[in-house]
Amino acid sequence: MAEVVAVAAESLAGSRARAARTVLNQVVLPGEELLLPEQEDAEGPGGGGERPLRLNAGARSRVRVVCGPGLRRCGDRLLVTKCGRLRHKEPGSGSGGGVYWVDSQQKRYVPVKGDHVIGIVTAKSGDIFKVDVGGSEPASLSYLAFEGATKRNRPNVQVGDLIYGQFVVANKDMEPEMVCIDSCGRANGMGVIGHDGLLFKVTLGLIRKLLAPDCEIIQEVGKLYPLEIVFGMNGRIWVKAKTIQQTLILANILEACEHMTTDQRKQIFSRLAES
Amino acid sequence: MEGTMHADAKIRAETGTESGPRGPGCSLRHFACEQNLLSRPDGSASFMQGVAEKSREQLIRNTCEAVVLGALHPRTSITVVLQVISDAGSLLACCLNAACMALVDAGVPMRALFCGVTCTLGADGTLVLDPTAKQEKEARAVLTFALDSVEQKLLMSTTKGLYSDAELQQCLAAAQAASQHVFRFYRESLQRRYSKS
């Protein structure tokens, strides 16, 4: 959940509150307060690097910072609510102070709008499927939210099927709703996942690591066996290879990746590639 | 949220009738036990003994409710399951510490960490922090405090025994100093956990 925050930066750090910049990539605990850096004064409206005259000399420059998961706005500071490493991403287009968030390791998923997840259909009632996504309540999925579905042409979804979809409504006050089409009406890989294969659960941090742009693990796994794999942001992975044994080996490797170092992983992959 | 793994069984204790467990000569209060009441964890159980108002569960629950940001999870129940592996004194403080670590591990949003500290007053007024079971039994008064990590404010206190007002303040101050050690330990163990990844 991200709040766009306009904060007045402070140059003095309180006895307990530390500047966010000094704590980057370190472990932060719930209850800590963070101060935001003061923005460098950009060139004035006249150009040429002139400083604009301020009518109220006491006002500080304001930084627009996006407050990501694990942080809450508390007055003009950020309050840490989860334990993890503090991360920061520079703003792409130069305006604003970027995004701050806490990288925490947890197993429990909380639905977020726009996330792609794997769900299990638990009930079919009238026009809606109830899908278990690992949150505190099941998400609802309308039967019309599939590619090419009309009132006469219903999709073939049974109780117990696996669904890959994304959330269109996901906040703390309402029941989450998901769909299997994107905004243009195309499936784009979403929908019912095939019947074979294996679904297993991992921590959310591992999913984010595997979905990072240059993840070595996925490249190495791809070289081992031909496989189909689906990652759900709710900690679920579905994997399918040619034989059951290969599927189980892949599932075990992915689950163990969490605790292995890079060297151990390379060892295991080389041993598997030989056999 | 799971504390530890339990065996999975479906047994229901008989609910008491008029001539139930409290028969003549039996001094045990009414029991109620329910197992497998949560579908998510590997196992879970709820055990209620008597209807004591200030039971340990209520104390821990009140402390957790004070720090957890429940407004972010409406219509959701957060269950903390604590299993006593061994009781070597200061049980309530140990339970509070375990509950705090479990909530942090589960990623529940909190506004601060909390810890429990027990202290006892001997017959001659000596103050002992984190007493053993033997020291607790021989003490004149046993006081347990739950303190938060931001300003060491008092979240919960439960006391048993005879003590004066000045002694209470003295115990509270000692507990606040001791809580710094606990929070330092939390920080070190969490840093160790995150350094592995």
Side-chain angles (χ1 to χ4, degrees), chain A residues 1 16 18 27 29-32 72 79-85 103-108 110 132 134-137 172-175 236, chain B residues 1-2 40 69 71-76 104-113 149-151 183 186-187 190-191 193-197:
Chain A
M1 68 203 131
R16 215 165 300 105
R18 299 182 279 174
V27 174
L29 299 180
E32 290 185 13
R72 303 275 299 169
L79 173 72
V80 179
T81 58
K82 291 195 188 171
C83 173
R85 288 194 186 273
D103 218 351
S104 64
Q105 290 171 355
Q106 61 182 79
K107 289 194 269 193
R108 185 86 191 184
V110 173
D132 162 43
S136 60
E137 50 185 340
K172 62 181 167 70
D173 302 310
M174 296 166 61
E175 177 194 44
R236 295 180 179 169
Chain B
M1 315 287 158
E2 312 82 87
R40 292 218 145 257
L69 291 170
L72 294 178
H73 293 286
R75 303 180 315 283
T76 307
V104 166
D105 185 49
V108 174
M110 300 204 284
R111 62 171 63 91
L113 298 174
S149 65
V150 181
E151 284 169 14
F183 291 130
Y186 282 179
R187 178 177 286 277
L190 287 167
Q191 274 173 343
R193 181 179 180 208
Y194 279 91
S195 69
K196 282 190 204 154
S197 59

Side-chain angles (χ1 to χ4, degrees), chain B residues 57-80:
Chain B
E57 289 85 19
Q58 194 67 24
L59 294 170
I60 299 174
R61 174 192 161 142
N62 288 343
T63 314
C64 291
E65 279 181 358
V67 266
V68 165
L69 291 170
L72 294 178
H73 293 286
R75 303 180 315 283
T76 307
S77 92
I78 299 179
T79 305
V80 179

Side-chain angles (χ1 to χ4, degrees), chain B:
Chain B
M1 315 287 158
E2 312 82 87
T4 52
M5 294 238 286
H6 304 262
D8 183 44
K10 267 199 182 311
I11 308 171
R12 266 190 183 278
E14 288 171 282
T15 52
T17 55
E18 288 285 24
S19 56
R22 282 197 94 95
C26 171
S27 62
L28 291 176
R29 288 165 298 174
H30 171 72
F31 289 174
C33 171
E34 197 181 331
Q35 285 167 326
N36 202 25
L37 46 84
L38 301 172
S39 59
R40 292 218 145 257
D42 305 299
S44 51
S46 131
F47 201 99
M48 263 198 341
Q49 213 167 324
V51 283
E53 284 157 24
K54 276 200 211 169
S55 65
R56 229 177 264 141
E57 289 85 19
Q58 194 67 24
L59 294 170
I60 299 174
R61 174 192 161 142
N62 288 343
T63 314
C64 291
E65 279 181 358
V67 266
V68 165
L69 291 170
L72 294 178
H73 293 286
R75 303 180 315 283
T76 307
S77 92
I78 299 179
T79 305
V80 179
V81 179
L82 293 155
Q83 180 171 33
V84 178
I85 298 180
S86 68
D87 182 0
S90 308
L91 180 62
L92 182 56
C94 191
C95 289
L96 284 166
N97 296 339
C100 180
M101 283 279 101
L103 288 169
V104 166
D105 185 49
V108 174
M110 300 204 284
R111 62 171 63 91
L113 298 174
F114 61 91
C115 78
V117 183
T118 309
C119 90
T120 53
L121 286 167
D124 49 354
T126 46
L127 206 156
V128 176
L129 282 175
D130 194 27
T132 61
K134 187 162 168 294
Q135 287 168 329
E136 270 183 9
K137 229 183 298 199
E138 294 166 358
R140 169 171 43 105
V142 180
L143 304 92
T144 304
F145 302 107
L147 302 161
D148 89 337
S149 65
V150 181
E151 284 169 14
Q152 282 75 52
K153 283 207 209 140
L154 187 62
L155 292 170
M156 182 274 298
S157 80
T158 176
T159 63
K160 190 174 68 162
L162 200 63
Y163 54 90
S164 72
D165 189 26
E167 283 172 337
L168 171 65
Q169 296 302 324
Q170 199 188 1
C171 288
L172 185 53
Q176 282 174 329
S179 69
Q180 302 278 30
H181 289 274
V182 185
F183 291 130
R184 203 175 316 135
F185 176 73
Y186 282 179
R187 178 177 286 277
E188 282 167 9
S189 69
L190 287 167
Q191 274 173 343
R192 218 176 315 136
R193 181 179 180 208
Y194 279 91
S195 69
K196 282 190 204 154
S197 59

Side-chain angles (χ1 to χ4, degrees), chain A:
Chain A
M1 68 203 131
E3 287 175 59
V4 177
V5 167
V7 281
E10 293 197 52
S11 52
L12 288 171
S15 60
R16 215 165 300 105
R18 299 182 279 174
R21 222 180 0 207
T22 58
V23 199
L24 272 186
N25 297 324
Q26 287 177 33
V27 174
V28 288
L29 299 180
E32 290 185 13
E33 287 189 339
L34 301 171
L35 300 168
L36 293 158
E38 193 165 349
Q39 187 188 28
E40 303 290 323
D41 236 336
E43 58 203 13
E50 290 161 349
R51 292 184 137 258
L53 266 182
R54 293 198 182 279
L55 287 176
N56 42 351
R60 316 279 184 128
S61 46
R62 295 181 157 261
V63 186
R64 247 171 104 87
V65 154
V66 177
C67 187
L71 294 171
R72 303 275 299 169
R73 182 169 59 105
C74 169
D76 54 356
R77 300 174 177 187
L78 294 179
L79 173 72
V80 179
T81 58
K82 291 195 188 171
C83 173
R85 288 194 186 273
L86 185 70
R87 305 275 191 215
H88 173 61
K89 183 172 155 201
E90 290 296 328
S93 45
S95 71
V99 192
Y100 283 95
W101 76 94
V102 176
D103 218 351
S104 64
Q105 290 171 355
Q106 61 182 79
K107 289 194 269 193
R108 185 86 191 184
Y109 177 67
V110 173
V112 170
K113 181 173 164 177
D115 264 3
H116 291 257
V117 294
I118 299 179
I120 304 173
V121 179
T122 54
K124 220 158 81 149
S125 67
D127 296 339
I128 297 187
F129 302 113
K130 287 283 180 221
V131 181
D132 162 43
V133 291
S136 60
E137 50 185 340
S140 75
L141 169 63
S142 161
Y143 77 95
L144 289 173
F146 290 84
E147 185 174 12
T150 60
K151 289 211 172 95
R152 301 234 178 90
N153 178 20
R154 289 177 175 244
N156 183 17
V157 176
Q158 307 304 325
V159 171
D161 279 353
L162 295 178
I163 300 265
Y164 183 64
Q166 66 176 347
F167 285 116
V168 290
V169 170
N171 53 47
K172 62 181 167 70
D173 302 310
M174 296 166 61
E175 177 194 44
E177 292 174 26
M178 57 188 287
V179 291
C180 290
I181 50 174
D182 60 9
S183 48
C184 304
R186 288 190 300 257
N188 212 8
M190 295 188 273
V192 180
I193 297 178
H195 289 285
D196 299 326
L198 179 67
L199 177 79
F200 58 96
K201 210 169 168 333
V202 294
T203 60
L204 306 185
L206 179 63
I207 294 274
R208 289 196 298 261
K209 190 162 88 166
L210 291 170
L211 286 175
D214 307 312
C215 182
E216 300 174 335
I217 306 176
I218 294 303
Q219 293 165 0
E220 288 170 18
V221 162
K223 285 186 211 142
L224 258 185
Y225 309 121
L227 79 159
E228 281 178 63
I229 193 163
V230 178
F231 294 104
M233 296 296 291
N234 52 348
R236 295 180 179 169
I237 302 181
W238 177 86
V239 89
K240 178 174 162 187
K242 282 220 184 83
T243 66
I244 295 182
Q245 195 190 25
Q246 289 179 357
T247 310
L248 288 172
I249 292 175
L250 289 168
N252 285 333
I253 292 178
L254 288 171
E255 276 173 336
C257 267
E258 180 122 41
H259 309 290
M260 286 198 288
T261 60
T262 316
D263 297 323
Q264 287 170 325
R265 208 180 57 229
K266 289 202 201 297
Q267 261 182 354
I268 295 192
F269 276 115
S270 53
R271 230 185 312 146
L272 279 170
E274 285 161 23
S275 65

